[in-house]
Amino acid sequence: IYQWNGSAFDVFQSIPTHGAFDWEWFSMDGDSYLAVANLRNSDGIFDMDSVIYQWNGTAFAVFQAIPSQGTTDLEWFNQDGTSFLAVANRQSSNGNYDIDSEIYRWNGSVFVAVQSIATHGAQTWEWLNVDGNYFLAVANSHSSSNWDIDSVIYRWNGSAFTVFQ
């Protein structure tokens, strides 16, 4: 992590990662968080935790481990006062790209898994608010056997994300 010193960026803190693919910064209830999407370790193992760090006033400290599989993206969003974290799982250690990605909801203390969504080599999530309608889009790259795969847009129905388009 780098810190601006007024004229350049200086190294501020080192955080261990495993093939880091994405960083997501977010703020909840006055606290700052930084989450890393870990793709794989040096042994080629994709089934590993992504990690959320919380700012403690002097540094980012480990806050929560999120089980993940070859994660390429983390998307934090807040809808109607509730915070969510979407985790894009790309592939498992056995080479399977047809795996679920997970949606987590903040329970006031930690993120808890609330919905599994079938994805195919998920690359990224994007959350949208269109005239009060909430959407979550996933960019699927390919399945385990097919490179011609659609990405999917989900719509919030009040309790879960369901296929919209």
Side-chain angles (χ1 to χ4, degrees):
I1 298 175
Y2 291 84
Q3 181 178 34
W4 182 250
N5 69 14
S7 61
F9 288 99
D10 292 330
V11 174
F12 174 75
Q13 180 181 354
S14 293
I15 292 179
T17 63
H18 301 284
F21 220 81
D22 181 51
W23 288 96
E24 181 80 358
W25 178 90
F26 54 94
S27 178
M28 299 184 304
D29 303 323
D31 292 319
S32 294
Y33 299 86
L34 187 60
V36 61
N38 285 315
L39 179 68
R40 67 178 187 190
N41 68 16
S42 59
D43 295 325
I45 303 298
F46 289 86
D47 301 337
M48 60 183 351
D49 293 339
S50 289
V51 182
I52 301 171
Y53 296 85
Q54 182 180 30
W55 181 252
N56 66 14
T58 58
F60 284 98
V62 172
F63 176 75
Q64 182 180 354
I66 300 288
S68 55
Q69 296 178 298
T71 300
T72 54
D73 185 53
L74 302 169
E75 176 81 1
W76 177 86
F77 54 96
N78 185 295
Q79 58 188 45
D80 297 330
T82 300
S83 291
F84 293 86
L85 186 68
V87 177
N89 289 322
R90 181 173 173 257
Q91 78 179 86
S92 65
S93 290
N94 66 6
N96 186 9
Y97 289 89
D98 303 312
I99 58 175
D100 289 347
S101 288
E102 302 292 331
I103 309 300
Y104 290 80
R105 178 183 290 145
W106 180 251
N107 72 2
S109 300
V110 294
F111 284 98
V112 294
V114 293
Q115 185 175 358
S116 295
I117 294 178
T119 54
H120 309 282
Q123 288 295 112
T124 190
W125 287 106
E126 289 299 327
W127 178 82
L128 308 156
N129 179 350
V130 180
D131 298 327
N133 295 294
Y134 302 123
F135 298 93
L136 191 59
V138 64
N140 289 312
S141 63
H142 62 283
S143 71
S144 293
S145 61
N146 185 1
W147 283 87
D148 185 18
I149 195 84
D150 290 334
S151 294
V152 182
I153 300 172
Y154 299 87
R155 185 177 185 175
W156 181 252
N157 69 8
S159 61
F161 286 96
T162 58
V163 173
F164 175 73
Q165 187 175 339

